[in-house]
Amino acid sequence: MGRTARVWWVGIPVLLAGLFFWWASYATTIIVWEGRKLLSWLAAPLLLVAFLLLVGLALKRVRGGRGGGSAGVVLGWLGAVLGLGLGIWWLVYGSYLQDREYMQNVRIVSEPVPELAARAPYLVGKAQAAPHLGDVTGEISDITYLPDADRFSTLVERRGWLSGYEVGLEQDIPLGGNSRSQQRCSFDTDEADARIGGWFGHNLGRKISDLRRWVRFDADDAYVTCQGDAPTVVVPLKRQTGILVVTERPAGVALYDGKTGRLTLTTDTAKVPGPSYPLSLAARQREGTAAVGSFSDWWFERSGWDASEDGANAGNDSEFTLQYRDSSGRSAYVTPLTPQGEASSVVAVSTVPTRHQGGGLAPMTVHRLDPTWSSPKALVALIKAEYSDVCCYNDDRVFEVVPTGGSSWTATVGSEQNIRYRVEGRGQVGGRESSCLKAADGTLIKCAYAVPGSPEEQELRRREQEKQKQQQAGQSPGGAKDPGDLTAYTPEQLADLQKRVSDEVVRRLKGSG
């Protein structure tokens, strides 16, 4: 074979490979992304090979002397065993180093959790999406809570292999009141025909890679917003850093216009109408808290925290998107944390901002609770026992147990179509879990155990004093005081009146018997 032929045989495959890497931006991004993840695993065999080479050089020197045969065999086996052990050690220790990388911006404090606003449970938002879609024939692909608008966002895929999204839906689901406002925005199926996971040129991930290589995303992080009748799909992006210890960092967002099909990538996330920090990255940071201690603590699971996975939070037990109660407009991914192991009480709460500028990890704060909570499963059992008159009948159930500031928690009670009550607690005070039943809008009804000095305890004391004054003012020789117009009574006043009537009837029946 001549020199020219050899050049052609080598040059053509290299040229074709270069053209593939230049043209197939989506495929090469996936190859590089997944290949970098394997670097930590490749480090183990590389260490083994390097160690064996050193052993081989040592054997060569030993064989030059007398009795080198038996010594060479011993050194060979010793080198193989040590090299294998070194490789396994790196695989384990590399995972610990990866968790430590995600711990860079974690701050552990004893300060109370900032006050957070309660919202309708995620499962309620999910259940109420389908009835409000009307004649839409597509399939729901994503539901996200948008803290800026205090609404739930639903993204619906259009049926078919070569199609994009059909509609976006934003719905208002208040805890109190009857407002059920909603807004639906339709995609232009001709101009905007791409979606996450679509086929060929209808794949939104491929379009993102065409504009910027080496960034990826988690499909569950994407959501839709409606500006009038125009939908916009927001996709928080991530990039990789590191060589042997590879971790992820935020990389801005991709904005896909549902009317024109225009795709924009930006790192200026201030004007994004929703969360811009990837929820999946916040979850990975929270998982990294397992490495808050030494390697031995990490290995034996003696440090860090886990998300509570029992009780009402099943299916949605971490990274609750909640607004702060102040007027700053800020929001955070909030997770109740339990110690690693068999312990199930909630001892800390983690917060990660939903918005973050720059290419570094967002700051994560772990607030140690004092007092701590019982586990969500125990809290559900407590609610059913203490408030059996309102929970749980027919389709009613206890929904999310979420942090709402300080060391307090809030659980919602009702059905997927109608939230009736909320139960608020302040942790285990004096060996007992405090809790109060309130209407969905926050109006206090009663308490199983009110913390002394708390606003609920003060309100109950005020009501009792007011009741005593009314009873004293209503006493007369001629009979009882007219209760007046019952339509002016609040629900809790009516409930109290009904209870007093029932108690009086029972007392008189016993007396006459």
Side-chain angles (χ1 to χ4, degrees):
M1 182 182 297
R3 179 179 299 176
T4 303
R6 285 197 298 269
V7 170
W8 277 104
W9 277 105
V10 174
I12 290 177
V14 171
L15 179 62
L16 291 176
L19 290 174
F20 171 78
F21 273 87
W22 172 78
W23 173 76
S25 58
Y26 183 58
T28 54
T29 295
I30 295 176
I31 292 172
V32 171
W33 189 277
E34 298 302 326
R36 289 190 67 173
K37 290 182 180 179
L38 294 175
L39 285 178
S40 59
W41 293 85
L42 292 175
L46 289 176
L47 286 171
L48 177 59
V49 170
F51 198 86
L52 291 177
L53 288 175
L54 291 176
V55 171
L57 292 175
L59 288 176
K60 188 173 182 181
R61 294 181 62 88
V62 169
R63 285 173 179 169
R66 301 173 96 185
S70 59
V73 172
V74 171
L75 285 176
W77 279 104
L78 181 62
V81 170
L82 290 177
L84 182 61
L86 187 63
I88 295 174
W89 171 84
W90 169 255
L91 290 180
V92 176
Y93 192 69
S95 298
Y96 169 72
L97 292 179
Q98 192 175 58
D99 282 350
R100 292 292 297 179
E101 282 292 314
Y102 285 110
M103 279 284 296
Q104 283 183 0
N105 283 11
V106 174
R107 191 168 61 100
I108 302 172
V109 300
S110 298
E111 303 167 1
V113 181
E115 293 294 315
L116 298 161
R119 57 155 174 77
Y122 173 83
L123 296 179
V124 172
K126 183 177 181 180
Q128 293 193 19
H132 292 156
L133 288 173
D135 58 353
V136 174
T137 60
E139 298 179 355
I140 295 175
S141 66
D142 175 78
I143 295 177
T144 302
Y145 175 68
L146 304 178
D148 295 356
D150 191 20
R151 287 186 166 196
F152 284 89
S153 162
T154 304
L155 187 58
V156 180
E157 292 181 355
R158 188 165 180 249
R159 292 179 181 271
W161 290 355
L162 305 178
S163 59
Y165 295 107
E166 186 171 358
V167 298
L169 172 70
E170 287 188 11
Q171 52 180 339
D172 176 30
I173 307 177
L175 275 175
N178 298 318
S179 173
R180 287 292 185 272
S181 65
Q182 55 184 292
Q183 182 178 10
R184 198 169 79 177
C185 47
S186 300
F187 285 76
D188 187 315
T189 56
D190 294 325
E191 298 294 333
D193 58 355
R195 72 185 188 211
I196 295 175
W199 288 58
F200 308 113
H202 302 272
N203 189 310
L204 186 55
R206 178 172 283 106
K207 292 180 178 293
I208 292 173
S209 295
D210 288 342
L211 293 182
R212 185 188 303 170
R213 299 193 186 206
W214 326 131
V215 295
R216 297 202 69 193
F217 54 87
D218 192 304
D220 292 336
D221 294 343
Y223 58 91
V224 65
T225 63
C226 294
Q227 287 83 39
D229 62 348
T232 300
V233 179
V234 182
V235 186
L237 303 175
K238 298 184 288 186
R239 61 186 177 88
Q240 288 180 322
T241 62
I243 300 177
L244 295 182
V245 179
V246 179
T247 55
E248 297 175 351
R249 297 290 186 274
V253 296
L255 304 174
Y256 183 59
D257 192 314
K259 289 297 185 183
T260 65
R262 180 184 177 187
L263 180 65
T264 305
L265 273 61
T266 179
T267 57
D268 183 10
T269 58
K271 296 182 180 180
V272 174
S276 61
Y277 193 73
L279 184 147
S280 58
L281 192 52
R284 185 63 185 89
Q285 287 180 259
R286 188 248 312 156
E287 293 170 358
T289 59
V292 68
S294 64
F295 173 73
S296 60
D297 290 335
W298 176 85
W299 175 254
F300 291 106
E301 298 184 350
R302 296 187 303 229
S303 63
W305 302 271
D306 289 326
S308 179
E309 297 179 353
D310 66 353
N313 293 351
N316 185 44
D317 50 38
S318 62
E319 281 71 53
F320 299 102
T321 307
L322 301 174
Q323 290 179 313
Y324 289 105
R325 287 187 185 175
D326 57 24
S327 58
S328 64
R330 297 178 302 125
S331 55
Y333 300 121
V334 186
T335 303
L337 301 175
T338 63
Q340 291 204 69
E342 297 298 325
S344 59
S345 60
V346 177
V347 299
V349 172
S350 67
T351 60
V352 178
T354 61
R355 290 179 174 274
H356 178 64
Q357 291 283 1
L361 293 173
M364 175 179 174
T365 305
V366 177
H367 299 266
R368 294 185 181 273
L369 296 180
D370 184 21
T372 60
W373 314 350
S374 301
S375 70
K377 183 177 182 179
L379 293 178
V380 171
L382 174 72
I383 292 170
K384 290 181 178 180
E386 298 284 7
Y387 308 107
S388 57
D389 54 336
V390 299
C391 180
C392 295
Y393 303 98
N394 300 324
D395 293 331
D396 286 1
R397 56 177 288 193
V398 180
F399 288 99
E400 296 172 347
V401 179
V402 299
T404 48
S407 60
S408 63
W409 52 265
T410 297
T412 44
V413 180
S415 67
E416 292 178 343
Q417 300 301 324
N418 186 17
I419 299 299
R420 300 175 183 274
Y421 307 97
R422 68 171 79 171
V423 178
E424 297 181 358
R426 295 179 179 272
Q428 301 178 39
V429 180
R432 183 177 179 183
E433 189 77 45
S434 67
S435 67
C436 291
L437 178 69
K438 299 184 178 182
D441 61 1
T443 304
L444 179 64
I445 299 176
K446 62 180 180 179
C447 292
Y449 174 60
V451 176
S454 65
E456 291 82 5
E457 193 264 349
Q458 295 173 9
E459 173 63 16
L460 291 175
R461 184 183 301 173
R462 185 194 65 78
R463 290 184 183 181
E464 184 63 28
Q465 293 173 350
E466 184 178 337
K467 184 192 301 184
Q468 291 175 358
K469 291 180 181 178
Q470 290 176 351
Q471 289 175 348
Q472 292 173 358
Q475 289 178 351
S476 64
K481 181 181 178 181
D482 184 359
D485 183 10
L486 296 181
T487 60
Y489 277 47
T490 64
E492 58 270 17
Q493 289 173 333
L494 283 174
D496 180 68
L497 180 60
Q498 183 182 19
K499 181 178 183 300
R500 289 166 55 194
V501 170
S502 299
D503 292 344
E504 180 62 20
V505 170
V506 171
R507 186 187 67 79
R508 295 189 183 189
L509 288 175
K510 288 183 177 179
S512 63

